Structure formats: C-alpha cells, structure tokens
Amino acid sequence: MVSRVIPVDTFDLVIFGGTGDLARRKILPGLFRRFIAGQMTGESRVIGAARSELDDAGYRDLVCEAIAEFGGAEKDSGRLEEFLARLHYVPIDATGEGGWSDLRDLMRDGVVRAFYFSVAPSLFGALAERLHSNDVAGPDARIVVEKPFGRDLGGARELNATLASHFDERQIYRIDHYLGKETVQNLMAIRFGNVLFEPLWNSHYVDHIQITVAETVGVGGRGSYYDKSGAMRDMVQNHLMQLLCLIAMEPPSQFEADAVRDEKLKVIRALQPVEPHQIVRGQYDAAAGAASYREDAENPRSFTESFVALKLGISNLRWAGVPFYLRTGKKLKARSSEIAVVFKDLPHSMFEGDEKRHRNILSIRLQPNEGIDLQVTIKEPGPGGMRLVDVPLDMTFADALGDEAEAPDAYERLIMDVIRGNQTLFMRGDEVEAAWRWTDPIIEGWEARSDVPKLYEQGSSGPEDAQMLIHRDGRRWRDIRG
Ligand code: NAD
C-alpha cells in the first residue's frame, strides 16, 4: 500500500528560531520529508529567521548539516539540493527593529503565510507585536506557538491576551506535538469509528484508565531550564492532559476543530482537585557512573520533580467513580508511552476452578511500535478441561498496514495542518488556561509546604510511593516495556 498524500496550498513558512535545536532536529527535517512526499508543492518556501548573521547560502549549509544528522532515510533521496533552493534566511532580532522590512519585502501575496515561533517563550509577545506593527503577517496569516504556553494560569492568560491583541484565535496554532502522533488520532478513530468500544466506554464497564509516558533519558543539557519547570509543568499540564481529554471526552458532533476542542475543555473543567495523598513526586538518584537529577540540574538543593504519578477523578456521568492514574518520568526503565483502558471483571465466572482474574485491557501504544492491542481471554489450547488464558489481539501498525503505517512525524503532520488551516489538533486558548487552573493549586501546594520529591533508582519504574498510590486501591501499574 502506498501512503496517500494530500497536496496543500503554496506557502511561505517563516521559522523564527530557524537555527535552533527544535528547528534543526524536527521542523526542517520534517519539512524535507514532506517535500519528498510531494506535499510541499508549487513554489512553497521556508524562511529561517534568527539572530545569527547568515545569508541564504549560510542557512542552506546549516540546514544541509541538520538533515545529514536528523534527516533519516530521506537524506539519501538525491533531492536535497532541490529542497535547499526553497530556503531563505533573514537575520532578525525579535526584540529589535532590524530585519523586519527585509522580511516584509520577502513575503508574497496570494500564498499562505505561516510564522513558527520556535524561540524562547519570553519572545512570543515581542514577535507577535512586531509581525503586526511591521505589517508582515496580514489578516490570514497563521502563527504557530511552541510550548511551554505560560508557566501558570497568570502567565498563560497574559500570553493569550498579547497574542489576541494582534491575532484572531483562528490564526493561533498552539502546538502540542503529542496531538500529532498517529496513534493519538487513532484513538479517536477507534472510539468513534467502531460500534464495539463506545458503548463500553464508561463507568459501567471501565475499572480504571492508566496513562504512562516514560523516558529513559535524564534532563541532560536542558537541566537548568527543566529545573524551573519539572514534570508537572513540562509533561502533565500539556501532553498527559491532552491524552486524558481525548480518552475521556464525549463524542464531538463532528471531527472539526471547535467541536473537538469544546469537548476536551469540558473534560478539563470536570477534573476533580487532586489531594496531596493522590500524587507522588520523584527525583532520580545518582547511579553507578550516572549523575543524579540534582547534579544534572546543577542545583544541589533542587526540589523539582523529574517524575510524577497521580490519581484523578472526573466529575461527570460517564466517569463518576472511575480513577485515572497518570505517570510520567525521566530515567525510567524503558522509553514507553501507553494509554491502557482496563475493563471491569466479569460479575460471574462460569468456569469452575478458574481463580485468576481475567481482564480485557485495551492498550494504545504511542511509542515505541505505535499500535493497539486488546487483551482477551480464551481457552488455553490442548486437552485437560477449560483453562483460560489471556492473549493480546495485537495490531502493530507497521505489521498491519505496511508502508501505510509510515506516517509522517508529529511535527510534519501538524505543520501541514497549519498550512491547511485545520486547528483540530491544536490547543485553544481557553483549554490551556483551564489546564493551568487545575495544575496551579497542585504546584502551589508543593511550594507552600516545601514538598521534597522521593528519590528513585535510575532504570526503575519510579519511587516506591508511586506503586503504593495504585496498590492501595487494589490495582497495579502496567509494566513499563520498551
Ligand atoms: P534553541 O535555544 O536551540 O534555539 C533558539 C532559537 O531562537 C535560535 O535560532 C536563536 O537564534 C533564536 N533566538 C534567540 N533569541 C532571539 C532573538 N532575540 N530574536 C530572534 N531569534 C532569537 O531553542 P530550541 O530548543 O530550538 O527551542 C525553541 C522553542 O521550542 C522553545 O520555546 C522551546 O521551549 C520549544 N521546544 C523545544 C523542544 C526541543 O526539543 N528543542 C521541544 C519542545 C518545545
């Protein structure tokens, strides 16, 4: 099977911070892959804009190196020169006045104009203002805003207000790359495209839901940035919250940006406050030859968490009484992201002597090996009576769909959605604020009582207390498997 590529309109995409890490690792290699796939049609161009004093040729060299390093198999496609010819560069300081008229002169009428803010969040406001005051953007332009979107409700509100004074909400694309992942969208296809699951997707049949995003890496070179943020701000408020919304939301009336985002917002608004005993924070300890979190963060007195596990409830008819267990952390035993819907036990087993608890579990794997499996109970093959065994009905996309499963990376997909003008997979301003409104009291509580994170062993599943969090409810975490 060959992937279907839907062409997009001709565009000028300006990447502010076009020489930075995110641009080099994700955005530019992603655009190159879309170019090869035939999606960067017409005379579309990419314009790097950053503080470095480069010209077009210098920028093309930089992008060439980035693609050699991060471009995957496509770097050998023989089409790099063609792609590089579409690149331009304008030196610009987001906080200064130089360079803006050059950028304005370069922009063309009659094509989609998009501006990717791949710079520190402290510059988002300055960029929005200058795009507007220098008349670079135009009424139909789109801006793409990276995370983090504020570090609390006050900051997010301020940023929303600044952006709103220059752009309409329909022009603002707040990116959360988790929403661009193939499996995350598949989650909606599975829930709302099949008759099988939706009737069971409620407190009558679901025992609990687990969401795990586990990383093996530490904070490494991002230590000082991360130390001001922590797992709650860096992962839970955005990525895990978005996954939770898609799992828990009511069916939107249509697959359309505001219909989907309205339902996600209702979930966030229905989240119960989290009590201190429902949440565990952790920090990775030193290991043989490996630095501790505090050493990585270069802050010997840091109380920032590199791990968090929590139990939360949703106050609505569908989910009353169903716990959601979320956890995320660094330096854990495997790199693995999974959503598991654990269904309730059968109320009665007719199979005599079958003492084991058999459960249907729908597991949605985001990484590695994106796919879905459903644990079902069957008869163990062979003679000797009715012994039951749990087996997975596995659908690893790469096996089931072949080439078709080679979906674009999340960033590529989301950038193409920006060009198409499709905001479905981007966060709306009120969603982000609602997520902070729920997160802020938790973080404020930690700060008020100088909460000290529990140390955990590198390569483990997190602190012992995180096990207790779920064990005391008579449940257990799923194994973190790579
Ligand atoms: P970076 O420090 O590597 O790059 C920053 C870029 O901004 C550089 O191109 C630099 O020249 C430019 N810049 C700095 N000051 C400027 C100014 N005054 N005017 C114009 N340009 C200026 O940062 P990064 O890691 O690429 O991150 C960029 C954004 O993406 C940040 O908001 C970050 O939080 C977000 N983000 C990054 C990653 C990642 O993996 N790197 C992941 C998620 C989100």
Side-chain angles (χ1 to χ4, degrees), residues 160-198:
N160 272 334
T162 308
L163 298 183
S165 59
H166 304 295
F167 296 93
D168 288 344
E169 183 63 35
R170 67 176 172 82
Q171 297 178 280
I172 304 171
Y173 291 72
R174 295 175 195 77
I175 207 160
D176 183 325
H177 70 275
Y178 269 62
L179 291 181
K181 287 180 185 285
E182 185 70 10
T183 325
V184 172
Q185 292 164 70
N186 231 316
L187 179 56
M188 287 188 273
I190 287 191
R191 276 195 67 187
F192 305 128
N194 293 286
V195 75
L196 282 181
F197 296 110
E198 198 48 26

Side-chain angles (χ1 to χ4, degrees), residues 17 19-22 25 50-51 92-94 118-119 121 123 146-148:
T19 59
D21 178 67
L22 183 67
R25 272 192 317 112
R51 262 196 315 200
I92 250 179
D93 185 341
S118 182
V119 294
L123 298 175
E146 260 301 332
K147 81 165 204 183

